[in-house]
Amino acid sequence: MFTLEKFNFYKKKYKHITNDDEIAYNKIKNYHYGKSCSPIIYSKNILFLGVESIIDVVIFHQLNPKSDIFIFGCSEIQEIELSQITDNLNFFNNLEELFEINTAFDSVKVTKEFCNVEENRLALYKIESNRLYGDFEVINTPPLDLYLNVRNRFNIFYLVDDNADITLSGYKQKKQQSDISIIISGGIINDRLKENIVLLRKQSKLDIDIILCPHNNNEILDHDFITKNNIILISELDSGYNTAWYKGFHHSNSEYIFFMYSEDCFSGDIFDELFLLSIITHSDITQSGYKIFENKKLDNREIITNGNEYGIVTPPKSLLKEPITPWGRLYNSTFLNNIGLDDENCFQELIFNFLTISSANTIASIPDKYYLKYSNSIKLETLQKIDLYKIIYDIVRPHASMEVMSTLLELEISAYHELGLTESNERKFHLTKYLDRLNLYYGDKYHLQDKLSCSNS
């Protein structure tokens, strides 16, 4: 079993190791590059593009004494010291020599200093390797470009930005999967959304499926637009938005899912931004801000525009007390499949919102990328916090886990206490009936009395 020595051991043993090398040592010690992709792994060979510290090379050799080590871009002093460690070292002075050996590398470690040179960045795209690890800022391109370049070329990758405390990691995506499926409920695509789709097809770097789910035969479909923009048309008609989302979801084959209505639209590069945030934060759900237009007029009530800051929402279940907005969110498809959405009733806004948020481990938010909700009939009051618990309970119970049902109970208890804030006889009567219903629904199975006692104390 390999044991990592303390830093002072390496400092005493190797002449040119200084206190500056302790940063590199700590990255290794703390598995800073991820347990599966750190230098503390077993590899057939490794390519160092730049050497942050000879400690990286020393420890790799300790773990892999028979593996070949290829190094480009180290200093003369580093080369002299490393040459005394093993005969399995191969030094390169120029990139062309590196390409001539025609080797597929098991691992590649890249430094910021190496990629500060444009020629080096371009050369990195030519290198064949199984896994990549290094610094997040290693390639001077927009973050999404960085992710896509890495994702499409390396089977495993793990990049770290020390300053911003950001990690970007993952496995090579299955080629048969698209990045995002946009599932649209309703067959009549409004002109605003058509413009969005055209721009999306021209500008987005992602592989996006658009799935259109008409409701009935009365909808006049623009087949020319559907064909030109490679939109997938679900020919089976449905009776409502939840059935459309249900059918669209089960027709999709993508890493992420976005649900919307045909009368709505979106602005800017919302999908690129949501996708990247999902990757960086490893979120089950990422959400955008939103605006609502009622009867073609923007409603400016504070509740309508999502005010969450950029980044992870803590705790995620706090969103259950906010407006019910299942649209404007990007859902990880594996997460949705694990919930068990095998009934179209689960796609009703109220139910879907509760099931997804109560089941999510991580939710992230972008406040300044907007989903635009248009409606002539929507009642804004229905976007208030959940209070129709009876509906949720009846539909959710066959599908939800104990943990999810406990969350629902906690929300009910909170509502129960709100009822008890006033002392009127009418309130007391409703409170008694409410408690009777809680006992009927939950009983001892969900430790109702214990939770009531805790909330009363």
Side-chain angles (χ1 to χ4, degrees):
M1 178 71 73
F2 174 78
T3 302
L4 184 65
E5 302 287 352
K6 293 183 178 180
F7 174 70
N8 284 336
F9 168 84
Y10 297 102
K11 187 176 180 181
K12 290 177 181 178
K13 185 171 182 178
Y14 298 100
K15 182 178 179 180
H16 296 287
I17 288 181
T18 68
N19 288 334
D20 292 337
D21 292 281
E22 193 167 7
I23 296 173
Y25 170 83
N26 286 332
K27 288 181 180 179
I28 299 171
K29 179 182 176 182
N30 299 324
Y31 284 11
H32 194 63
Y33 293 113
K35 189 172 182 180
S36 63
C37 306
S38 75
I40 307 182
I41 54 176
Y42 295 94
S43 296
K44 298 174 184 177
N45 58 48
I46 190 170
L47 169 63
F48 288 93
L49 295 175
V51 176
E52 184 177 4
S53 168
I54 67 169
I55 288 181
D56 274 342
V57 183
V58 169
I59 292 176
F60 179 84
H61 174 64
Q62 287 180 299
L63 277 164
N64 306 273
K66 296 182 180 180
S67 297
D68 290 324
I69 300 174
F70 301 86
I71 298 176
F72 174 85
C74 70
S75 68
E76 186 176 344
I77 293 175
Q78 287 175 327
E79 183 172 339
I80 293 171
E81 185 133 43
L82 288 172
S83 297
Q84 301 172 17
I85 297 172
T86 176
D87 294 331
N88 294 346
L89 283 169
N90 302 273
F91 294 96
F92 296 90
N93 295 318
N94 65 67
L95 292 169
E96 293 305 319
E97 290 181 4
L98 185 62
F99 297 139
E100 287 174 4
I101 65 173
N102 196 28
T103 297
F105 300 101
D106 197 17
S107 297
V108 173
K109 163 74 167 63
V110 63
T111 63
K112 287 182 185 177
E113 288 72 20
F114 173 84
C115 281
N116 280 339
V117 180
E118 184 177 1
E119 180 186 359
N120 292 350
R121 290 197 298 272
L122 297 175
L124 179 61
Y125 297 136
K126 301 179 184 179
I127 293 171
E128 297 293 329
S129 174
N130 179 33
R131 35 170 110 80
L132 171 74
Y133 51 91
D135 295 291
F136 184 83
E137 297 176 295
V138 87
I139 305 171
N140 189 22
T141 57
L144 185 60
D145 287 345
L146 166 62
Y147 171 75
L148 295 177
N149 283 326
V150 169
R151 181 195 69 180
N152 294 332
R153 297 183 51 258
F154 297 93
N155 291 324
I156 305 171
F157 52 90
Y158 200 96
L159 305 179
V160 176
D161 185 336
D162 296 321
N163 297 324
D165 194 26
I166 289 174
T167 61
L168 187 154
S169 63
Y171 293 84
K172 192 170 183 178
Q173 186 190 23
K174 298 176 182 178
K175 290 185 177 179
Q176 65 268 26
Q177 247 190 347
S178 60
D179 294 317
I180 298 174
S181 288
I182 303 172
I183 299 174
I184 303 173
S185 174
I188 302 176
I189 305 175
N190 68 77
D191 291 339
R192 297 177 302 272
L193 183 54
K194 285 182 178 179
E195 291 177 6
N196 292 156
I197 291 173
V198 170
L199 287 174
L200 184 69
R201 289 298 192 212
K202 288 181 179 179
Q203 297 176 358
S204 179
K205 304 174 182 70
L206 300 172
D207 181 11
I208 297 178
D209 291 334
I210 300 175
I211 302 175
L212 186 66
C213 307
H215 292 176
N216 55 63
N217 288 317
N218 296 327
E219 293 180 301
I220 302 174
L221 305 182
D222 188 340
H223 289 281
D224 185 50
F225 181 83
I226 291 170
T227 302
K228 284 183 178 179
N229 290 278
N230 196 26
I231 296 173
I232 300 169
L233 180 63
I234 304 299
S235 57
E236 307 165 20
L237 299 178
D238 57 74
S239 56
Y241 73 86
N242 59 303
T243 307
W245 284 358
Y246 171 78
K247 290 181 178 177
F249 173 63
H250 287 285
H251 273 82
S252 65
N253 181 28
S254 59
E255 193 175 0
Y256 292 92
I257 307 291
F258 187 91
F259 297 98
M260 67 177 299
Y261 302 102
S262 59
E263 67 266 22
D264 300 341
C265 60
F266 46 83
S267 64
D269 51 353
I270 181 174
F271 294 104
D272 287 4
E273 293 289 333
L274 288 174
F275 181 84
L276 182 62
L277 183 61
S278 296
I279 297 300
I280 290 174
T281 59
H282 306 284
S283 294
D284 298 315
I285 305 170
T286 50
Q287 62 178 15
S288 70
Y290 60 90
K291 294 179 180 178
I292 289 184
F293 291 81
E294 187 178 25
N295 297 318
K296 300 182 179 180
K297 292 182 180 180
L298 176 64
D299 189 288
N300 289 316
R301 276 194 249 178
E302 186 178 350
I303 194 170
I304 298 308
T305 300
N306 188 329
N308 284 308
E309 295 180 358
Y310 184 96
I312 294 176
V313 177
T314 306
K317 289 184 177 64
S318 64
L319 294 178
L320 287 174
K321 297 182 179 179
E322 292 195 4
I324 301 163
T325 56
W327 27 262
R329 289 175 175 157
L330 191 67
Y331 299 88
N332 182 291
S333 61
T334 302
F335 162 71
L336 291 181
N337 281 310
N338 288 340
I339 293 176
L341 301 172
D342 52 2
D343 186 327
E344 62 186 50
N345 285 323
C346 293
F347 286 83
Q348 293 183 36
E349 281 186 345
L350 187 69
I351 310 302
F352 186 78
N353 187 80
F354 173 78
L355 278 176
T356 52
I357 292 176
S358 60
S359 302
N361 290 318
T362 307
I363 300 176
S365 178
I366 297 178
D368 57 346
K369 302 292 179 181
Y370 288 108
Y371 180 89
L372 305 178
K373 175 72 180 166
Y374 285 81
S375 178
N376 293 324
S377 59
I378 188 169
K379 295 180 180 178
L380 298 182
E381 289 73 18
T382 64
L383 293 176
Q384 304 298 325
K385 67 178 183 178
I386 293 175
D387 57 4
L388 301 175
Y389 299 109
K390 174 70 166 63
I391 298 174
I392 295 179
Y393 182 90
D394 289 343
I395 295 179
V396 163
R397 183 171 55 174
H399 310 278
S401 65
M402 283 282 290
E403 182 181 0
V404 170
M405 291 302 294
S406 292
T407 300
L408 179 55
L409 174 57
E410 288 165 9
L411 287 169
E412 291 232 54
I413 290 174
S414 175
Y416 165 83
H417 280 285
E418 287 181 14
L419 279 173
L421 290 177
T422 58
E423 296 297 326
S424 67
N425 290 331
E426 183 182 358
R427 280 288 186 179
K428 288 180 180 179
F429 173 75
H430 285 297
L431 197 59
T432 302
K433 290 191 67 176
Y434 200 102
L435 183 57
D436 289 342
R437 187 168 68 79
L438 289 180
N439 278 302
L440 175 64
Y441 283 174
Y442 299 96
D444 296 332
K445 184 177 181 181
Y446 299 97
H447 306 289
L448 170 63
Q449 294 303 328
D450 291 343
K451 289 181 178 179
L452 282 170
S453 298
C454 289
S455 60
N456 284 327
S457 60

